[in-house]
Amino acid sequence: MHMDKEMRIIISGGGTGGHIFPAISIANAIKGKYPDASILFVGALGRMEMQRVPAAGYEIVGLPICGFDRKNLLKNVKVLYKIWKSQRMAKKIIKDFKPMVAVGVGGYASGPTLNKCASMGIPCLIQEQNSYAGVTNKLLAKKAEKICAAYEGMERFFPADKIILTGNPVRQALLNTPLSREEAVNTFGLDPDKKTILVVGGSLGARTINESILQHIDEIEASGAQMIWQTGKYYHSDILQKTAGKSLKNIKILDFISDMGAAYKAADLVISRAGASSISEFCLLGTPVILVPSPNVAEDHQTKNAMALVEKEAAMYVKDAEATEKLVGLALTTVKDNEKLSDLSRNILKLALPNSAEIIADEVIKLAIGEK
């Protein structure tokens, strides 16, 4: 396909890594096909995308938008004002930038941006990362031309004729690690002959998961297995303090892991929250995983993400409320059970949808050039 005029695209949304990784992957895939495409991101001021997007080499403008306050209703007067202001700003951004297509990845900013685009006749595509649609995307679905879904069964939320099953774009570096398992284990200063459990609580860490490990730390140390424990920056110093008197040979405590590709490669079993982008990574890597869904997310969608895998025997899960008593015991039993590990790995690999970013980029380009 060749174009006379240049390709101009708005990508909007963010708030969490789970929205931002896919957005940047889609942008990179579009650039791969159209190196001189102009891509403008629209995010929410004060949220993570305002740093992450420029770091990935793209321009972003921020809207002063935030969510409704469910506890203090009076504060919502301010929220309504911010929505109104965001819509006015979105209109001006769209008039100045003149996009040919708009992409929404979920999160606050995508609401006003895609609403305005749709009302100005610009075709919209939304990407839904979860197995349970978010409020913003449910509202936008009526106006969108295409909906790229990561899970089957999304007809419950969206018009069936608009849905394309694409999966979630994931961080390419994870899939392309050159290390063998042995080399990966060595980079963490651990023993390749021992079974390795990787514990990750998301970008900020997870209090319950950390608490569960702390309470059973002697048991883990004595188990014959070893652990790479990413605490998250927020909890790190507290955990170092609480474990200060112990000589832990089998447990590596880290605040942050920069090379997640190596960490996944080293792991025989992973303990993780059930965010959509993490799950997409586990599917592509065939990672045996115990999911501990975060209870503090909208509409409990992490539990729904987890159950979509558990029903297919592609993952195990422990409720957040039961994690301190059950998680470590389950992990130590599972990591020694080779048959269980290979079943989990085989079943989760079946759910993988590769090349998501490429497929979504193609759909975006079709909308931009007016192909059906």
Side-chain angles (χ1 to χ4, degrees):
M1 358 182 201
H2 203 69
M3 302 193 44
D4 308 327
K5 53 180 186 189
E6 69 169 327
M7 173 81 63
R8 307 181 66 77
I9 297 163
I10 275 182
I11 301 180
S12 183
T16 63
H19 291 312
I20 299 164
F21 290 136
I24 290 171
S25 301
I26 294 165
N28 291 342
I30 292 167
K31 280 284 196 191
K33 295 167 194 289
Y34 280 91
D36 36 10
S38 295
I39 300 176
L40 178 66
F41 279 75
V42 181
L45 288 172
R47 303 292 297 220
M48 207 195 276
E49 57 267 27
M50 300 310 291
Q51 281 79 46
R52 291 279 180 90
V53 169
Y58 294 99
E59 194 187 332
I60 186 165
V61 284
L63 303 179
I65 190 157
C66 55
F68 280 103
D69 193 315
R70 300 199 176 156
K71 297 188 181 73
N72 182 343
L73 294 176
L74 284 174
K75 284 191 180 157
N76 288 328
V77 175
K78 229 192 231 160
V79 176
L80 287 169
Y81 171 70
K82 284 180 171 175
I83 291 175
W84 175 79
K85 196 172 167 196
S86 295
Q87 289 190 320
R88 296 218 18 197
M89 282 175 69
K91 189 174 180 176
K92 185 171 176 355
I93 292 163
I94 296 157
K95 279 194 158 149
D96 293 347
F97 184 73
K98 302 183 179 59
M100 297 146 74
V101 60
V103 179
V105 294
Y108 299 137
S110 60
T113 309
L114 267 73
N115 267 324
K116 270 292 168 238
C117 283
S119 72
M120 292 162 78
I122 294 153
C124 297
L125 173 147
I126 57 183
Q127 198 252 330
E128 176 54 70
Q129 293 97 19
N130 291 291
S131 62
Y132 192 85
V135 180
T136 309
N137 277 351
K138 269 195 261 186
L139 294 171
L140 290 172
K142 298 178 183 62
K143 301 172 179 173
E145 312 285 318
K146 293 263 168 79
I147 298 157
C148 293
Y151 288 90
E152 291 165 6
M154 298 304 282
E155 300 78 20
R156 291 177 296 163
F157 309 105
F158 302 133
D161 57 338
K162 294 181 178 181
I163 299 174
I164 307 160
L165 188 64
T166 60
N168 274 325
V170 303
R171 297 175 281 182
Q172 277 324 107
L174 295 181
L175 307 178
N176 304 340
T177 179
L179 301 173
S180 67
R181 179 188 173 275
E182 190 172 338
E183 289 167 334
V185 174
N186 285 332
T187 58
F188 291 96
L190 293 169
D191 177 354
D193 293 333
K194 289 185 177 169
K195 289 297 182 92
T196 308
I197 302 170
L198 168 66
V199 180
V200 279
S203 43
L204 301 168
R207 195 172 58 104
T208 313
I209 294 179
N210 287 341
E211 206 41 58
S212 308
I213 306 293
L214 262 180
Q215 286 187 26
H216 299 272
I217 199 149
D218 298 330
E219 205 181 316
I220 298 163
E221 180 63 32
S223 70
Q226 57 193 4
M227 182 174 274
I228 301 166
W229 179 11
Q230 184 200 324
T231 61
K233 288 193 161 55
Y234 185 69
Y235 301 99
H236 191 240
S237 56
D238 181 48
I239 287 169
L240 287 183
Q241 246 170 328
K242 288 181 177 157
T243 53
K246 301 179 182 295
S247 71
L248 300 174
K249 293 185 176 60
N250 298 321
I251 303 174
K252 262 289 169 269
I253 302 175
L254 304 162
D255 62 338
F256 175 74
I257 298 172
S258 53
D259 187 354
M260 279 307 291
Y264 282 146
K265 192 69 163 200
D268 297 287
L269 176 68
V270 175
I271 294 171
S272 170
R273 286 299 198 198
S277 55
S278 303
I279 288 180
S280 298
E281 291 169 357
F282 303 144
C283 291
L284 284 160
L285 294 162
T287 310
V289 62
I290 299 174
L291 298 167
V292 185
S294 169
N296 5 318
V297 289
E299 303 168 84
D300 199 25
H301 65 241
Q302 284 208 1
T303 298
K304 294 172 176 120
N305 290 345
M307 293 318 291
L309 273 72
V310 173
E311 282 159 15
K312 297 189 163 127
E313 293 181 19
M316 298 166 87
Y317 101 116
V318 173
K319 284 190 180 131
D320 189 86
E322 297 173 354
T324 43
E325 48 181 288
K326 293 187 179 167
L327 180 60
V328 168
L330 180 64
L332 292 177
T333 324
T334 307
V335 81
K336 291 180 178 153
D337 184 342
N338 288 334
E339 202 177 325
K340 183 71 184 165
L341 292 176
S342 59
D343 285 350
L344 286 169
S345 182
R346 198 175 54 244
N347 290 339
I348 201 169
L349 269 171
K350 289 179 195 159
L351 305 178
L353 293 163
N355 310 326
S356 302
E358 301 292 319
I359 298 165
I360 297 166
D362 285 336
E363 293 299 331
V364 174
I365 289 163
K366 276 194 250 175
L367 286 177
I369 62 182
E371 267 188 27
K372 276 292 169 268

